[in-house]
Amino acid sequence: MKKEDRLESKNPMEGFLRMDRIPHIWCPGCGIGTVVTSFTEALKKSKLDLDKVAVVSGIGCTGRVAGYVKLDSFHTTHGRAVPFATGLKLANPDLKVVVFSGDGDIFGIGGNHFIHAARRNMDILIICVNNFNYAMTGGQVAATTPMEANASTAPYGNFEFAFSLPYLAEAAGATYVARWTSLHLRRVTKSIQEALAKPGFSLIEVITPCVTLYARRNRLGDGLNLLKYYYDKSVIEHGADTRTLDISYQGKLVVGKFVDKEKPTFLDRMNEHMTKILGDKYVKYGE
Amino acid sequence: MKKVKVDPKGVLTGSHYIDGDYAIAEGGLAAGCRFFAGYPITPSTETAERFSERIPHVGGVFIQMEDELGSIAAMIGAVWGGKKTMTVTSGPGFSLMMENIGLACMMEIPLVIANVQRGGPSTGLPTLTGQQDMMQAKWGSHGDYEIIALSPDSPQECFDLTIEAFNLSETYRVPVFVMTDECVGHMHEKVVIPPAEEIEVVERKWYEGPKDKYLPYKLDKDGIPFMVKAGDGYRFHTTGLTRDERGYPVINAECQSVVVPHLVDKIINNADKIIMLEEDEIDGAEIVVISYGITSRVAIRAVQQARKAGIKVGTLRLKTVWPFPEKRIKQLARKIKAFVVPEINYGQIVLEVERCAAGKAPAFHVPHCGGWVHDPNDILKVIKEAAK
């Protein structure tokens, strides 16, 4: 066996990553890389033509994913990954467009775009890495920080209510909604695979450890301690009522697939509606 | 730069009686724009309305986004998806677009934004005219970069210059602004749209080399990098960070010292090719009135009266406002007595005239805070004062 063919000398994700950009910038113990592994695994299993898969990220730690995947990949501005993806998808409907970004990017600064893309049932998959804080800038409080948790801009503890991402997504119109932690690698992979195969607006939330900031400031230990917390406190409840999925500080984590329903996408609706109204005069788009 | 014939589906050949806003939409459709993402804002909304009505008959997408931040983000995404895109807005929406205008400059995105200006600041005068976003067009996003801005003064020119805006944006891979104003936007006049075979447009600078050799920001001989679109197998990366030829982020001063001068130079070094001016009776003039947009039409009255009174007045109309015609102003400053610059703001383009004239000839400003056009007598008064 030649040296380069030996398992330990070859990264199994090589075909999916820009190896010339590795090593990545993520901290030891961070969960983002785990989610990227699940994503590449799901791509492999889905047998999609990788030339037709595009990744759009915003800004933040997870925002760096676009820079590492060997696909058409776009590192955009803070909060605007979803509308950027909307334009990309509509301009080239053959693409499978995946937004890979963090909770601060998608649900803090970009929250309005998220609900509107969900409302329109835009055919994009959102993989949101939720680490409960703004990590890239040093661990500030976020729209997802559990009440009582400490953050660099909530030094006396967070007293605001947090978003429940699955509840928000379902209410806004998403057709596929799941939540996992980065401990549930196999489940994350399966969810991504399902969502990639499904037209429509999908959200997969993955709760991940931020060891350097969130865990350190809250004295929660290292990555392994957080995975232990996920192990102890997560409960799989497929189909759970999304109104019941709030996350309390170090409390129970209800995970699973909560929504999986059929609905025509934006482009389906556009073509169907315009054909109905304009008949032969309508120049069909993207078919 | 490759010129091609336009898709006749988008060209509404004929003589029309339409307003400037409609003419902008028709210009975009004629130029081959097939993706419009916008948000309604007075006094520009009619462009979006027109596009939404026309696009189902042409083949393309109109999407009303949730806000202007979304509009411009969707446009940049759509360009990477292979489309020509445009939007229309006014002051407050233009302000909201600024961050991603910076992204479009950094990613070198051809796109067109029409700004039908109204009086500001803030919500200001939604239904009344202004020319107060001229400096914002140049400097509005953070960092150093260059854009192109055109300023039509009639519905016909709204049509013509929107096509030109697309051509310039494709040639230089840069956002181009059509800086018109409420008066021109809502003015109804005859607009003649030529047959499709008479309209030529600049084709996107598509890369045609081997797939594995593609570098998104490697400059071609003309200083402009080639483009590809997502889905064609290039598996490229692009970012708003300072980047190298591969499109990979490189966050250091060396890389910055390559990227920023490129973004600036590709426009400034081609300024002579980009700048369009309209001059009248400049030779032998002692006063030159510099104006743009609706103000140039109002100024005509003042200029005629001044000529009647025996003052030698020439006019210079800026069809291109940015890049600024620095050379021409410098030349004129050596020959004339003074410039007169009426504009519907408290002093924007006059500052550029002053800078370029560099003390060789004074620039007299005729300010107006917006809401209406100048009284020609106010311009006349200043011409007379300048001629003293």
Side-chain angles (χ1 to χ4, degrees):
Chain A
M1 188 187 269
K2 276 187 278 174
K3 186 168 177 279
E4 57 270 27
D5 292 338
R6 283 166 59 180
L7 194 60
E8 66 268 27
S9 56
K10 203 171 171 187
N11 187 325
M13 288 154 69
E14 249 186 53
F16 297 87
L17 297 181
R18 297 181 189 277
M19 296 307 286
D20 50 353
R21 291 219 56 216
I22 303 296
H24 57 69
I25 64 162
W26 297 314
C27 307
C30 169
I32 300 171
T34 315
V35 187
V36 174
T37 305
S38 279
F39 175 59
T40 58
E41 196 57 32
L43 281 178
K44 222 182 278 179
K45 289 183 173 162
S46 72
K47 300 204 165 55
L48 285 171
D49 176 359
L50 296 185
D51 287 353
K52 301 287 179 199
V53 181
V55 168
V56 183
S57 294
I59 296 295
C61 293
T62 315
R64 289 306 190 96
V65 168
Y68 299 126
V69 290
K70 202 171 178 180
L71 301 164
D72 288 332
S73 57
F74 304 91
H75 183 220
T76 67
T77 43
H78 199 21
R80 316 302 158 211
V82 172
F84 187 105
T86 294
L88 185 63
K89 172 70 192 177
L90 294 180
N92 187 354
D94 292 345
L95 294 173
K96 190 76 215 178
V97 179
V98 181
V99 170
F100 215 129
S101 221
D103 51 300
D105 190 69
I106 297 174
F107 291 96
I109 188 168
N112 194 35
H113 304 305
F114 177 88
I115 59 173
H116 284 277
R119 172 181 65 76
R120 298 182 179 108
N121 199 23
M122 199 53 68
D123 184 13
I124 50 183
L125 160 61
I126 315 275
I127 300 172
C128 177
V129 172
N130 181 2
N131 58 14
F132 296 148
N133 72 151
Y134 283 93
M136 183 68 96
T137 44
Q140 291 78 30
V141 70
T144 48
T145 309
M147 194 109 61
E148 307 299 334
N150 229 280
S152 73
T153 48
Y156 308 108
N158 175 32
F159 53 83
E160 289 187 26
F161 298 100
F163 266 148
S164 164
L165 307 187
Y167 182 28
L168 181 66
E170 184 181 21
T175 53
Y176 185 101
V177 181
R179 172 198 278 165
W180 300 106
T181 76
S182 58
L183 182 71
H184 299 84
L185 248 183
R186 190 169 53 81
R187 313 265 184 178
V188 175
T189 306
K190 187 166 177 250
S191 265
I192 296 176
Q193 218 184 317
E194 283 178 5
L196 283 171
K198 190 182 170 73
F201 189 85
S202 309
L203 169 70
I204 298 167
E205 174 190 9
V206 188
I207 294 163
T208 64
C210 173
V211 174
T212 309
L213 297 154
Y214 183 78
R216 185 172 54 91
R217 185 170 283 276
N218 287 290
R219 304 185 191 287
L220 298 173
D222 59 18
L224 204 57
N225 295 96
L226 285 175
L227 292 181
K228 177 77 171 44
Y229 155 56
Y230 300 160
Y231 182 79
D232 290 341
K233 293 290 184 71
S234 63
V235 189
I236 299 175
E237 281 180 41
H238 290 303
D241 185 336
T242 55
R243 287 173 299 183
T244 65
L245 301 179
D246 282 341
I247 297 171
S248 62
Y249 181 61
Q250 291 299 91
K252 186 171 130 182
L253 297 168
V254 178
V255 296
K257 178 168 80 175
F258 309 122
V259 178
D260 189 353
K261 62 185 178 195
E262 305 302 319
K263 213 164 83 172
T265 66
F266 176 92
L267 278 180
D268 293 340
R269 281 292 304 135
M270 185 175 100
N271 279 324
E272 185 190 305
H273 178 79
M274 291 296 186
T275 306
K276 188 177 87 190
I277 302 295
L278 298 174
D280 293 346
K281 286 185 208 149
Y282 177 56
V283 179
K284 269 202 179 173
Y285 181 76
E287 288 185 357
Chain B
M1 183 176 55
K2 190 173 150 199
K3 286 217 163 191
V4 293
K5 293 266 183 273
V6 293
D7 168 14
K9 280 205 297 292
V11 185
L12 204 66
T13 303
S15 184
H16 310 273
Y17 183 65
I18 53 176
D19 70 6
D21 283 357
Y22 271 29
I24 289 168
E26 290 303 335
L29 286 163
C33 173
R34 296 293 179 266
F35 183 91
F36 187 114
Y39 189 82
I41 182 165
T42 306
S44 74
T45 315
E46 291 86 344
T47 306
E49 289 172 347
R50 177 75 165 188
F51 207 97
S52 69
E53 189 190 331
R54 291 263 287 122
I55 197 69
H57 302 274
V58 174
V61 176
F62 169 88
I63 183 167
Q64 186 168 307
M65 293 299 287
E66 48 276 12
D67 52 33
E68 287 87 348
L69 298 96
S71 303
I72 172 112
M75 287 166 71
I76 300 172
V79 169
W80 285 120
K83 289 280 183 288
K84 283 187 168 184
T85 82
M86 73 182 290
T87 194
V88 68
T89 191
S90 190
F94 200 47
S95 296
L96 286 178
M97 288 179 187
M98 282 302 152
E99 189 197 6
N100 267 11
I101 284 171
L103 180 69
C105 290
M106 191 58 132
M107 284 187 171
E108 304 195 50
I109 299 294
L111 55 80
V112 173
I113 300 172
N115 178 352
V116 186
Q117 295 173 87
R118 64 194 221 184
S122 189
T123 313
L125 304 170
T127 57
L128 301 175
T129 203
Q131 293 181 311
Q132 299 164 344
D133 307 344
M134 301 311 291
M135 280 295 183
Q136 190 188 18
K138 172 76 169 75
W139 303 106
S141 196
H142 54 282
D144 288 312
Y145 60 91
E146 286 288 333
I147 48 77
I148 296 172
L150 311 178
S151 184
D153 74 343
S154 68
Q156 179 69 54
E157 221 172 63
C158 283
F159 175 83
D160 297 339
L161 290 189
T162 300
I163 295 178
E164 187 56 29
F166 272 99
N167 289 342
L168 290 167
S169 78
E170 296 293 346
T171 305
Y172 299 105
R173 281 189 62 174
V174 73
V176 179
F177 306 138
V178 178
M179 300 295 292
T180 184
D181 49 75
E182 186 276 333
C183 284
V184 175
H186 284 161
M187 172 195 292
H188 281 72
E189 278 184 345
K190 186 165 117 172
V191 174
V192 178
I193 299 180
E197 57 271 22
E198 288 174 23
I199 306 173
E200 275 198 328
V201 291
V202 175
E203 175 76 337
R204 187 155 296 166
K205 199 170 167 186
W206 297 116
Y207 174 77
E208 281 162 352
K211 281 198 174 158
D212 56 334
K213 294 277 185 294
Y214 178 63
L215 293 168
Y217 294 104
K218 185 178 166 53
L219 305 188
D220 185 26
K221 288 186 290 284
D222 64 355
I224 310 296
F226 286 99
M227 276 200 101
V228 296
K229 69 176 203 285
D232 282 356
Y234 293 94
R235 309 243 205 124
F236 66 99
H237 179 64
T238 179
T239 172
L241 290 165
T242 295
R243 38 49 183 183
D244 61 15
E245 286 184 337
R246 298 171 297 175
Y248 291 3
V250 179
I251 304 170
N252 62 36
E254 287 85 349
C255 193
Q256 179 83 345
S257 73
V258 174
V259 172
V260 173
H262 161 65
L263 297 180
V264 171
D265 291 348
K266 70 175 179 177
I267 304 303
I268 296 305
N269 293 346
N270 290 300
D272 288 347
K273 287 182 228 160
I274 299 167
I275 291 167
M276 294 173 284
L277 303 172
E278 192 178 85
E279 299 182 351
D280 181 48
E281 295 191 32
I282 288 264
D283 288 339
E286 48 179 338
I287 304 295
V288 169
V289 175
I290 298 179
S291 59
Y292 54 92
I294 188 62
T295 306
S296 60
R297 296 181 68 168
V298 176
I300 290 172
R301 172 87 180 150
V303 169
Q304 285 168 343
Q305 284 177 327
R307 283 173 185 163
K308 260 187 212 160
I311 305 171
K312 284 183 183 156
V313 188
T315 60
L316 187 146
R317 180 163 76 87
L318 307 169
K319 288 166 80 170
T320 306
V321 177
W322 305 115
F324 199 71
E326 190 165 336
K327 256 194 237 165
R328 186 65 182 136
I329 304 294
K330 268 188 186 146
Q331 280 169 358
L332 292 174
R334 279 186 237 114
K335 294 180 193 161
I336 67 166
K337 198 164 178 184
F339 294 103
V340 171
V341 187
E343 50 183 342
I344 308 174
N345 58 52
Y346 264 17
Q348 297 193 13
I349 294 305
V350 68
L351 298 175
E352 276 295 280
V353 176
E354 269 175 7
R355 179 183 69 79
C356 299
K360 301 274 188 255
F364 288 73
H365 192 231
V366 193
H368 192 303
C369 59
W372 195 225
V373 295
H374 290 81
D375 179 338
N377 288 320
D378 293 339
I379 302 173
L380 180 63
K381 239 184 274 168
V382 178
I383 293 174
K384 283 180 173 169
E385 191 192 325
K388 265 183 207 163

